Amino acid sequence: MINTQKYKKRLLELQKQLEARTERDMENGRGELMDGPHDAGDARVSDVAVDSQFSEAELNSIILQQVQDALRRIEDGTFGKCLVDGGPIET
């Protein structure tokens, strides 16, 4: 039997961190858009910065979804079981 409380605690901490990072990256990306470039060179630099912020937010969002899925599996008792065949996963 897997000690899910240890995993749940870690996943909840990770969820909190990812939510904060995602929000920060989205805010930073929106801030870059609002500042508005002054010339073509500034516009290109701004575009790269915005793309980077939103890409980072998207990656954090994907990982956050995986963390939330794992937390749901803990709650429904399927954490530590293979999603394909239901067999146990060794830890």
Side-chain angles (χ1 to χ4, degrees):
M1 185 72 150
I2 295 177
N3 177 5
T4 57
Q5 290 308 310
K6 171 178 78 170
Y7 292 104
K8 183 175 183 177
K9 181 181 178 192
R10 177 65 185 120
L11 287 165
L12 288 170
E13 290 170 4
L14 187 55
Q15 178 181 20
K16 186 185 249 184
Q17 292 170 0
L18 289 165
E19 287 171 343
R21 284 185 204 160
T22 300
E23 181 61 30
R24 182 196 66 223
D25 291 339
M26 291 297 289
E27 286 297 321
N28 289 343
R30 284 191 286 270
E32 291 284 338
L33 285 174
M34 295 239 184
D35 286 342
H38 302 289
D39 62 28
D42 289 342
R44 182 65 189 129
V45 170
S46 178
D47 287 348
V48 169
V50 169
D51 286 348
S52 176
Q53 294 296 326
F54 287 138
S55 292
E56 193 69 27
E58 182 179 14
L59 178 60
N60 284 328
S61 181
I62 290 168
I63 297 168
L64 177 59
Q65 183 61 54
Q66 294 171 342
V67 167
Q68 291 168 336
D69 290 345
L71 286 167
R72 273 191 287 283
R73 287 193 297 278
I74 287 173
E75 293 304 315
D76 69 17
T78 60
F79 184 82
K81 296 179 183 176
C82 178
L83 294 176
V84 176
D85 66 10
I89 295 174
E90 293 184 30
T91 58

Coordinates of all heavy atoms in Angstrom, one line a residue:
M1 N 0.8 -1.2 0.0 CA 0.0 0.0 0.0 C 0.9 1.2 0.0 O 1.8 1.4 0.8 CB -0.9 0.0 1.2 CG -1.9 1.1 1.3 SD -3.1 0.8 0.1 CE -4.5 1.5 0.7
I2 N 0.6 2.2 -0.8 CA 1.3 3.4 -1.0 C 0.9 4.4 0.1 O -0.3 4.6 0.3 CB 1.1 4.1 -2.4 CG1 1.7 3.2 -3.4 CG2 1.8 5.4 -2.4 CD1 1.5 3.7 -4.8
N3 N 1.8 5.1 0.7 CA 1.5 6.2 1.7 C 1.2 7.4 0.9 O 2.0 8.2 0.5 CB 2.7 6.4 2.6 CG 2.5 7.6 3.5 OD1 1.4 8.1 3.6 ND2 3.5 7.9 4.3
T4 N -0.1 7.6 0.5 CA -0.5 8.7 -0.3 C -0.4 10.1 0.4 O -0.3 11.1 -0.3 CB -1.9 8.5 -0.8 OG1 -2.8 8.3 0.3 CG2 -2.0 7.3 -1.7
Q5 N -0.4 10.1 1.7 CA -0.4 11.4 2.4 C 0.9 12.1 2.1 O 0.9 13.3 1.9 CB -0.5 11.2 3.9 CG -1.9 10.8 4.3 CD -3.0 11.7 3.7 OE1 -2.9 12.9 3.8 NE2 -4.0 11.1 3.1
K6 N 2.0 11.4 2.0 CA 3.3 12.0 1.6 C 3.3 12.6 0.2 O 3.7 13.7 0.0 CB 4.4 10.9 1.7 CG 5.7 11.3 1.2 CD 6.8 10.2 1.3 CE 6.6 9.2 0.2 NZ 7.7 8.2 0.2
Y7 N 2.7 11.8 -0.7 CA 2.6 12.3 -2.1 C 1.6 13.5 -2.2 O 1.8 14.5 -2.9 CB 2.2 11.2 -3.0 CG 3.3 10.2 -3.2 CD1 3.2 9.0 -2.6 CD2 4.4 10.5 -3.9 CE1 4.2 8.0 -2.7 CE2 5.4 9.6 -4.1 CZ 5.3 8.3 -3.5 OH 6.3 7.4 -3.6
K8 N 0.5 13.4 -1.4 CA -0.5 14.4 -1.5 C 0.1 15.8 -1.0 O -0.2 16.8 -1.6 CB -1.7 14.0 -0.6 CG -2.9 15.1 -0.7 CD -4.1 14.6 0.1 CE -5.2 15.6 0.0 NZ -6.4 15.1 0.6
K9 N 0.8 15.7 0.1 CA 1.4 16.9 0.7 C 2.3 17.6 -0.4 O 2.3 18.8 -0.6 CB 2.2 16.6 1.9 CG 2.8 17.8 2.6 CD 3.6 17.4 3.8 CE 4.3 18.7 4.4 NZ 5.2 18.4 5.4
R10 N 3.2 16.8 -1.0 CA 4.1 17.3 -2.0 C 3.4 17.8 -3.2 O 3.7 18.9 -3.7 CB 5.1 16.2 -2.4 CG 6.0 16.6 -3.5 CD 7.0 17.6 -3.0 NE 7.8 18.1 -4.1 CZ 7.9 19.3 -4.5 NH1 7.2 20.3 -4.0 NH2 8.7 19.6 -5.6
L11 N 2.3 17.1 -3.6 CA 1.6 17.6 -4.8 C 0.8 18.9 -4.5 O 0.8 19.8 -5.4 CB 0.6 16.5 -5.2 CG 1.2 15.3 -5.9 CD1 0.2 14.2 -6.0 CD2 1.7 15.7 -7.3
L12 N 0.3 19.0 -3.3 CA -0.4 20.3 -2.9 C 0.6 21.5 -2.9 O 0.3 22.6 -3.3 CB -1.1 20.1 -1.6 CG -2.3 19.3 -1.6 CD1 -2.8 19.0 -0.2 CD2 -3.4 19.9 -2.4
E13 N 1.8 21.2 -2.4 CA 2.9 22.3 -2.4 C 3.2 22.6 -3.9 O 3.3 23.8 -4.2 CB 4.1 21.8 -1.7 CG 4.0 21.6 -0.2 CD 5.2 20.9 0.4 OE1 6.1 20.6 -0.2 OE2 5.1 20.7 1.7
L14 N 3.4 21.6 -4.7 CA 3.7 21.9 -6.1 C 2.6 22.6 -6.8 O 2.8 23.5 -7.6 CB 4.0 20.5 -6.8 CG 4.5 20.6 -8.2 CD1 5.8 21.4 -8.3 CD2 4.8 19.2 -8.7
Q15 N 1.3 22.2 -6.5 CA 0.2 22.9 -7.1 C 0.2 24.4 -6.8 O 0.0 25.3 -7.6 CB -1.1 22.3 -6.6 CG -2.3 22.9 -7.1 CD -3.6 22.3 -6.6 OE1 -3.6 21.6 -5.5 NE2 -4.7 22.5 -7.2
K16 N 0.5 24.7 -5.5 CA 0.5 26.1 -5.1 C 1.6 26.9 -5.8 O 1.4 28.0 -6.3 CB 0.8 26.2 -3.6 CG 0.7 27.6 -3.0 CD 1.1 27.5 -1.5 CE -0.1 27.8 -0.7 NZ 0.2 27.9 0.8
Q17 N 2.8 26.3 -6.0 CA 3.9 26.9 -6.7 C 3.6 27.1 -8.1 O 3.9 28.2 -8.7 CB 5.2 26.0 -6.6 CG 5.8 26.0 -5.2 CD 6.9 24.9 -5.1 OE1 7.2 24.2 -6.1 NE2 7.4 24.7 -3.9
L18 N 3.0 26.1 -8.8 CA 2.7 26.2 -10.2 C 1.6 27.3 -10.4 O 1.7 28.0 -11.4 CB 2.3 24.9 -10.7 CG 3.4 23.9 -10.9 CD1 2.8 22.5 -11.1 CD2 4.3 24.3 -12.0
E19 N 0.6 27.4 -9.6 CA -0.4 28.4 -9.7 C 0.2 29.8 -9.6 O -0.1 30.7 -10.4 CB -1.5 28.2 -8.7 CG -2.4 27.0 -8.9 CD -3.3 26.7 -7.8 OE1 -3.1 27.1 -6.6 OE2 -4.3 25.9 -8.0
A20 N 1.1 30.0 -8.7 CA 1.7 31.3 -8.5 C 2.6 31.6 -9.7 O 2.6 32.7 -10.2 CB 2.6 31.3 -7.2
R21 N 3.4 30.6 -10.2 CA 4.2 30.9 -11.4 C 3.4 31.2 -12.6 O 3.8 32.1 -13.4 CB 5.1 29.6 -11.7 CG 6.2 29.4 -10.8 CD 7.0 28.2 -11.2 NE 7.8 27.6 -10.1 CZ 8.2 26.4 -10.1 NH1 8.1 25.6 -11.1 NH2 8.9 26.0 -9.1
T22 N 2.3 30.4 -12.8 CA 1.5 30.6 -14.0 C 0.9 32.0 -14.0 O 0.9 32.8 -15.0 CB 0.4 29.6 -14.1 OG1 1.0 28.3 -14.1 CG2 -0.5 29.8 -15.3
E23 N 0.4 32.4 -12.8 CA -0.2 33.8 -12.7 C 0.9 34.9 -12.9 O 0.6 35.8 -13.6 CB -0.8 33.9 -11.3 CG -1.5 35.3 -11.1 CD -2.6 35.6 -12.1 OE1 -3.3 34.7 -12.5 OE2 -2.8 36.8 -12.4
R24 N 2.1 34.7 -12.3 CA 3.1 35.6 -12.5 C 3.5 35.7 -14.0 O 3.7 36.8 -14.5 CB 4.4 35.2 -11.7 CG 5.5 36.2 -11.8 CD 6.8 35.6 -11.3 NE 7.2 34.5 -12.2 CZ 7.7 33.3 -11.8 NH1 7.8 33.1 -10.5 NH2 8.1 32.4 -12.6
D25 N 3.7 34.6 -14.7 CA 4.1 34.6 -16.1 C 3.0 35.3 -17.0 O 3.3 36.0 -17.9 CB 4.4 33.2 -16.6 CG 5.7 32.6 -16.0 OD1 6.5 33.4 -15.5 OD2 5.8 31.4 -15.9
M26 N 1.8 35.0 -16.6 CA 0.7 35.6 -17.4 C 0.7 37.2 -17.2 O 0.5 37.9 -18.1 CB -0.7 35.0 -17.0 CG -0.8 33.6 -17.5 SD -0.8 33.4 -19.2 CE -2.4 34.1 -19.7
E27 N 0.8 37.6 -16.0 CA 0.9 39.0 -15.6 C 2.1 39.7 -16.3 O 1.9 40.8 -16.9 CB 1.0 39.2 -14.1 CG -0.3 39.0 -13.4 CD -1.4 39.9 -13.8 OE1 -1.2 41.1 -14.1 OE2 -2.6 39.5 -14.0
N28 N 3.2 39.0 -16.3 CA 4.4 39.6 -17.0 C 4.2 39.7 -18.5 O 4.6 40.7 -19.1 CB 5.6 38.7 -16.7 CG 6.1 38.9 -15.2 OD1 5.8 39.8 -14.5 ND2 6.9 37.9 -14.8
G29 N 3.6 38.7 -19.1 CA 3.3 38.7 -20.5 C 2.3 39.8 -20.8 O 2.5 40.5 -21.8
R30 N 1.3 40.0 -20.0 CA 0.3 41.0 -20.3 C 1.0 42.4 -20.1 O 0.7 43.3 -20.8 CB -0.9 40.9 -19.3 CG -1.9 39.8 -19.8 CD -3.2 39.9 -19.0 NE -3.0 39.4 -17.6 CZ -3.2 38.2 -17.2 NH1 -3.5 37.3 -18.1 NH2 -3.1 37.8 -16.0
G31 N 1.9 42.5 -19.1 CA 2.6 43.8 -18.9 C 3.5 44.1 -20.1 O 3.6 45.3 -20.5
E32 N 4.1 43.1 -20.7 CA 4.9 43.3 -21.9 C 4.1 43.9 -23.0 O 4.5 44.7 -23.8 CB 5.7 42.1 -22.3 CG 6.8 41.6 -21.4 CD 8.0 42.4 -21.5 OE1 8.2 43.1 -22.5 OE2 8.8 42.5 -20.5
L33 N 2.9 43.3 -23.2 CA 2.0 43.7 -24.2 C 1.5 45.2 -24.0 O 1.4 46.0 -24.9 CB 0.8 42.8 -24.3 CG 1.0 41.4 -24.9 CD1 -0.3 40.6 -24.8 CD2 1.4 41.6 -26.4
M34 N 1.3 45.5 -22.8 CA 0.7 46.9 -22.4 C 1.8 47.9 -22.6 O 1.4 49.1 -22.9 CB 0.2 46.9 -21.0 CG -1.0 46.0 -20.8 SD -2.3 47.0 -20.3 CE -3.6 45.9 -19.9
D35 N 3.0 47.6 -22.3 CA 4.1 48.7 -22.4 C 4.2 49.2 -23.8 O 4.6 50.4 -23.9 CB 5.4 48.1 -21.9 CG 5.5 47.9 -20.4 OD1 4.6 48.5 -19.7 OD2 6.3 47.2 -19.9
G36 N 4.0 48.4 -24.8 CA 4.0 48.9 -26.2 C 5.4 49.3 -26.6 O 6.0 50.2 -26.0
P37 N 5.9 48.7 -27.7 CA 7.2 49.1 -28.2 C 7.2 50.5 -28.9 O 6.1 50.9 -29.3 CB 7.5 48.0 -29.2 CG 6.1 47.5 -29.6 CD 5.2 47.7 -28.4
H38 N 8.4 51.1 -28.9 CA 8.5 52.4 -29.5 C 8.9 52.4 -31.0 O 8.7 53.3 -31.7 CB 9.4 53.2 -28.7 CG 9.0 53.3 -27.2 ND1 7.9 54.1 -26.9 CD2 9.5 52.8 -26.1 CE1 7.7 54.0 -25.6 NE2 8.6 53.2 -25.1
D39 N 9.6 51.3 -31.4 CA 10.0 51.2 -32.8 C 10.1 49.7 -33.2 O 9.7 48.9 -32.4 CB 11.4 51.9 -33.0 CG 12.5 51.3 -32.2 OD1 12.5 50.0 -31.9 OD2 13.5 52.0 -31.9
A40 N 10.4 49.4 -34.4 CA 10.4 48.0 -34.9 C 11.3 47.1 -34.1 O 11.0 46.0 -33.8 CB 10.8 48.0 -36.4
G41 N 12.5 47.6 -33.7 CA 13.4 46.8 -32.9 C 12.9 46.5 -31.6 O 13.0 45.4 -31.1
D42 N 12.3 47.5 -30.9 CA 11.6 47.3 -29.7 C 10.5 46.3 -29.8 O 10.3 45.5 -28.9 CB 11.1 48.6 -29.1 CG 12.2 49.6 -28.6 OD1 13.3 49.1 -28.4 OD2 11.9 50.8 -28.5
A43 N 9.8 46.4 -30.9 CA 8.6 45.5 -31.1 C 9.1 44.1 -31.1 O 8.4 43.2 -30.5 CB 7.9 45.9 -32.4
R44 N 10.2 43.8 -31.8 CA 10.7 42.4 -31.9 C 11.1 41.9 -30.6 O 10.8 40.8 -30.2 CB 11.8 42.4 -32.9 CG 12.3 41.0 -33.1 CD 11.3 40.1 -33.8 NE 11.7 38.7 -33.8 CZ 11.0 37.7 -33.3 NH1 9.8 37.8 -32.9 NH2 11.6 36.5 -33.3
V45 N 11.8 42.7 -29.8 CA 12.3 42.3 -28.5 C 11.0 42.1 -27.6 O 11.0 41.1 -26.8 CB 13.2 43.4 -27.9 CG1 13.5 43.1 -26.4 CG2 14.5 43.5 -28.6
S46 N 10.1 42.9 -27.7 CA 8.9 42.8 -26.9 C 8.1 41.5 -27.3 O 7.6 40.8 -26.4 CB 7.9 44.0 -27.1 OG 6.8 43.8 -26.4
D47 N 8.0 41.2 -28.6 CA 7.4 40.0 -29.0 C 8.0 38.7 -28.5 O 7.4 37.8 -28.0 CB 7.4 39.9 -30.6 CG 6.4 40.8 -31.2 OD1 5.5 41.4 -30.5 OD2 6.5 41.0 -32.4
V48 N 9.3 38.7 -28.5 CA 10.1 37.6 -27.9 C 9.8 37.4 -26.4 O 9.6 36.3 -25.9 CB 11.6 37.7 -28.2 CG1 12.4 36.7 -27.5 CG2 11.9 37.6 -29.7
A49 N 9.8 38.5 -25.7 CA 9.6 38.5 -24.3 C 8.2 38.0 -24.0 O 8.0 37.2 -23.1 CB 9.8 39.9 -23.7
V50 N 7.2 38.5 -24.7 CA 5.8 38.1 -24.5 C 5.7 36.6 -24.8 O 5.1 35.8 -24.0 CB 4.9 38.9 -25.4 CG1 3.5 38.3 -25.4 CG2 4.8 40.3 -24.9
D51 N 6.2 36.1 -25.9 CA 6.2 34.7 -26.3 C 6.8 33.9 -25.2 O 6.3 32.8 -24.8 CB 6.9 34.4 -27.6 CG 6.1 34.9 -28.8 OD1 4.9 35.3 -28.7 OD2 6.7 35.0 -29.9
S52 N 7.9 34.3 -24.7 CA 8.6 33.5 -23.6 C 7.7 33.4 -22.4 O 7.6 32.4 -21.8 CB 9.9 34.2 -23.3 OG 10.6 33.6 -22.2
Q53 N 7.1 34.6 -22.0 CA 6.3 34.6 -20.7 C 5.1 33.7 -20.9 O 4.8 32.9 -20.0 CB 5.9 36.0 -20.4 CG 7.0 36.9 -20.0 CD 7.6 36.5 -18.7 OE1 7.0 36.0 -17.8 NE2 8.9 36.7 -18.7
F54 N 4.4 33.8 -22.1 CA 3.2 33.0 -22.3 C 3.6 31.5 -22.5 O 2.8 30.6 -22.0 CB 2.4 33.5 -23.4 CG 1.7 34.8 -23.1 CD1 1.6 35.8 -24.0 CD2 1.1 35.0 -21.9 CE1 1.0 37.0 -23.7 CE2 0.4 36.2 -21.6 CZ 0.3 37.2 -22.5
S55 N 4.7 31.2 -23.1 CA 5.1 29.8 -23.2 C 5.4 29.2 -21.9 O 5.1 28.0 -21.6 CB 6.4 29.7 -24.1 OG 6.1 30.1 -25.4
E56 N 6.1 29.9 -21.0 CA 6.4 29.5 -19.7 C 5.1 29.2 -18.9 O 4.9 28.2 -18.2 CB 7.3 30.5 -18.9 CG 7.9 30.0 -17.7 CD 8.9 28.9 -17.9 OE1 9.6 28.9 -18.9 OE2 9.1 28.1 -16.9
A57 N 4.1 30.1 -19.0 CA 2.8 30.0 -18.4 C 2.1 28.8 -18.9 O 1.5 28.0 -18.1 CB 2.0 31.2 -18.6
E58 N 2.2 28.5 -20.2 CA 1.5 27.3 -20.8 C 2.1 26.1 -20.2 O 1.4 25.1 -19.9 CB 1.6 27.4 -22.3 CG 0.9 26.2 -23.0 CD 1.0 26.3 -24.5 OE1 1.8 27.1 -25.0 OE2 0.3 25.6 -25.1
L59 N 3.5 26.0 -20.2 CA 4.1 24.8 -19.7 C 3.8 24.6 -18.2 O 3.4 23.4 -17.8 CB 5.7 25.0 -19.8 CG 6.5 23.8 -19.2 CD1 6.2 22.5 -19.9 CD2 8.0 24.2 -19.4
N60 N 3.8 25.6 -17.4 CA 3.4 25.5 -16.0 C 1.9 25.0 -15.9 O 1.6 24.2 -15.0 CB 3.6 26.8 -15.2 CG 5.0 27.1 -14.9 OD1 5.8 26.1 -14.7 ND2 5.4 28.3 -14.9
S61 N 1.1 25.5 -16.8 CA -0.3 25.1 -16.8 C -0.5 23.6 -17.1 O -1.3 22.9 -16.5 CB -1.1 26.0 -17.8 OG -2.5 25.6 -17.8
I62 N 0.3 23.1 -18.0 CA 0.2 21.7 -18.4 C 0.7 20.8 -17.2 O 0.0 19.9 -16.8 CB 1.1 21.4 -19.6 CG1 0.5 22.0 -20.8 CG2 1.3 19.9 -19.8 CD1 1.4 22.1 -22.1
I63 N 1.8 21.2 -16.5 CA 2.2 20.5 -15.4 C 1.2 20.6 -14.2 O 1.0 19.6 -13.6 CB 3.6 21.0 -14.9 CG1 4.7 20.8 -16.0 CG2 4.1 20.4 -13.6 CD1 6.0 21.5 -15.8
L64 N 0.6 21.8 -14.1 CA -0.4 22.0 -13.0 C -1.6 21.0 -13.3 O -2.1 20.4 -12.3 CB -0.9 23.4 -13.0 CG -2.0 23.7 -12.0 CD1 -1.6 23.4 -10.6 CD2 -2.4 25.2 -12.2
Q65 N -2.0 20.8 -14.5 CA -3.1 19.9 -14.8 C -2.7 18.5 -14.4 O -3.5 17.7 -13.9 CB -3.4 20.0 -16.3 CG -4.6 19.1 -16.7 CD -5.9 19.4 -15.9 OE1 -6.3 20.6 -16.0 NE2 -6.5 18.5 -15.3
Q66 N -1.4 18.1 -14.7 CA -1.0 16.7 -14.3 C -1.0 16.6 -12.8 O -1.3 15.5 -12.3 CB 0.4 16.5 -14.9 CG 0.4 16.4 -16.4 CD 1.8 16.4 -17.0 OE1 2.8 16.7 -16.3 NE2 1.9 16.0 -18.2
V67 N -0.6 17.6 -12.1 CA -0.6 17.6 -10.6 C -2.0 17.4 -10.1 O -2.3 16.6 -9.2 CB 0.1 18.8 -10.0 CG1 -0.2 19.0 -8.5 CG2 1.6 18.8 -10.3
Q68 N -2.9 18.2 -10.7 CA -4.3 18.1 -10.2 C -4.9 16.7 -10.6 O -5.7 16.2 -9.8 CB -5.1 19.2 -10.9 CG -4.8 20.6 -10.3 CD -5.3 21.7 -11.1 OE1 -5.6 21.6 -12.3 NE2 -5.4 22.9 -10.5
D69 N -4.5 16.1 -11.7 CA -5.0 14.8 -12.0 C -4.5 13.8 -11.0 O -5.2 12.9 -10.6 CB -4.5 14.4 -13.4 CG -5.2 15.1 -14.5 OD1 -6.2 15.8 -14.3 OD2 -4.6 15.1 -15.7
A70 N -3.2 13.9 -10.6 CA -2.6 13.0 -9.5 C -3.4 13.2 -8.2 O -3.7 12.2 -7.5 CB -1.2 13.3 -9.4
L71 N -3.7 14.4 -7.9 CA -4.5 14.7 -6.6 C -5.9 14.0 -6.7 O -6.3 13.4 -5.7 CB -4.6 16.2 -6.3 CG -3.3 16.8 -5.8 CD1 -3.4 18.3 -5.9 CD2 -3.0 16.4 -4.4
R72 N -6.5 14.1 -7.9 CA -7.8 13.4 -8.0 C -7.7 11.9 -7.9 O -8.5 11.3 -7.3 CB -8.4 13.8 -9.4 CG -9.2 15.0 -9.4 CD -10.0 15.2 -10.7 NE -9.2 15.6 -11.8 CZ -8.7 16.8 -12.0 NH1 -8.9 17.8 -11.2 NH2 -8.0 17.0 -13.1
R73 N -6.6 11.3 -8.4 CA -6.4 9.9 -8.3 C -6.1 9.5 -6.8 O -6.6 8.4 -6.4 CB -5.2 9.4 -9.2 CG -5.6 9.4 -10.6 CD -4.6 8.7 -11.5 NE -3.2 9.3 -11.5 CZ -2.9 10.3 -12.3 NH1 -3.7 10.9 -13.1 NH2 -1.6 10.8 -12.2
I74 N -5.5 10.4 -6.1 CA -5.3 10.1 -4.6 C -6.7 10.1 -4.0 O -7.0 9.2 -3.2 CB -4.4 11.2 -3.9 CG1 -3.0 10.9 -4.3 CG2 -4.6 11.1 -2.4 CD1 -2.0 12.0 -3.9
E75 N -7.5 11.0 -4.3 CA -8.9 11.1 -3.7 C -9.8 9.9 -4.0 O -10.5 9.5 -3.2 CB -9.6 12.4 -4.1 CG -8.9 13.7 -3.5 CD -8.8 13.6 -2.0 OE1 -9.8 13.3 -1.3 OE2 -7.7 14.0 -1.5
D76 N -9.7 9.5 -5.3 CA -10.5 8.4 -5.7 C -9.9 7.0 -5.5 O -10.5 6.0 -5.9 CB -11.1 8.5 -7.1 CG -10.0 8.4 -8.2 OD1 -8.9 7.9 -8.0 OD2 -10.3 8.8 -9.3
G77 N -8.7 7.0 -4.9 CA -8.1 5.7 -4.6 C -7.3 5.0 -5.7 O -7.0 3.8 -5.6
T78 N -7.1 5.7 -6.8 CA -6.4 5.0 -7.9 C -5.0 5.5 -8.1 O -4.3 5.1 -9.0 CB -7.2 5.3 -9.2 OG1 -7.2 6.7 -9.5 CG2 -8.6 4.7 -9.2
F79 N -4.5 6.3 -7.2 CA -3.1 6.8 -7.2 C -2.2 5.6 -7.0 O -2.4 4.8 -6.1 CB -2.8 7.8 -6.1 CG -1.5 8.4 -6.2 CD1 -1.2 9.5 -7.1 CD2 -0.5 8.0 -5.4 CE1 0.1 10.0 -7.1 CE2 0.8 8.5 -5.4 CZ 1.1 9.6 -6.3
G80 N -1.1 5.5 -7.8 CA -0.2 4.4 -7.7 C -0.6 3.2 -8.5 O 0.0 2.1 -8.5
K81 N -1.7 3.3 -9.3 CA -2.1 2.3 -10.2 C -2.0 2.7 -11.7 O -2.2 3.9 -12.0 CB -3.6 1.9 -10.0 CG -3.8 1.3 -8.6 CD -5.3 1.0 -8.4 CE -5.5 0.5 -6.9 NZ -6.9 0.3 -6.7
C82 N -1.5 1.8 -12.5 CA -1.4 2.1 -13.9 C -2.7 2.6 -14.6 O -3.7 2.0 -14.4 CB -0.8 0.9 -14.7 SG -0.6 1.1 -16.5
L83 N -2.6 3.7 -15.3 CA -3.8 4.2 -16.0 C -4.3 3.3 -17.1 O -5.5 3.3 -17.5 CB -3.6 5.6 -16.5 CG -3.4 6.7 -15.5 CD1 -3.0 8.0 -16.2 CD2 -4.5 6.8 -14.6
V84 N -3.4 2.4 -17.6 CA -3.7 1.5 -18.8 C -4.4 0.3 -18.3 O -5.5 -0.1 -18.7 CB -2.5 1.2 -19.6 CG1 -2.8 0.2 -20.7 CG2 -1.9 2.5 -20.2
D85 N -3.7 -0.5 -17.3 CA -4.2 -1.8 -16.9 C -4.6 -1.9 -15.5 O -5.1 -2.9 -15.0 CB -3.2 -2.9 -17.3 CG -1.9 -2.8 -16.5 OD1 -1.8 -2.0 -15.5 OD2 -1.0 -3.5 -16.8
G86 N -4.4 -0.8 -14.7 CA -4.9 -0.8 -13.3 C -3.9 -1.5 -12.4 O -4.1 -1.6 -11.2
G87 N -2.8 -2.0 -12.9 CA -1.8 -2.7 -12.1 C -1.0 -1.7 -11.2 O -1.0 -0.5 -11.5
P88 N -0.4 -2.2 -10.2 CA 0.3 -1.4 -9.3 C 1.6 -0.8 -9.9 O 2.2 -1.4 -10.8 CB 0.7 -2.3 -8.1 CG 0.7 -3.6 -8.7 CD -0.4 -3.6 -9.8
I89 N 1.9 0.4 -9.5 CA 3.1 1.1 -10.0 C 4.1 1.0 -8.8 O 3.8 1.5 -7.7 CB 2.9 2.5 -10.4 CG1 2.0 2.6 -11.6 CG2 4.2 3.2 -10.7 CD1 1.5 4.0 -12.1
E90 N 5.3 0.5 -9.1 CA 6.3 0.4 -8.0 C 6.9 1.8 -7.8 O 7.1 2.6 -8.7 CB 7.4 -0.5 -8.4 CG 6.9 -2.0 -8.5 CD 8.0 -2.9 -8.8 OE1 9.2 -2.7 -8.4 OE2 7.8 -3.9 -9.5
T91 N 7.1 2.1 -6.5 CA 7.7 3.4 -6.1 C 9.0 3.2 -5.6 O 9.5 2.2 -5.3 CB 6.8 4.1 -5.0 OG1 6.7 3.3 -3.9 CG2 5.5 4.5 -5.6

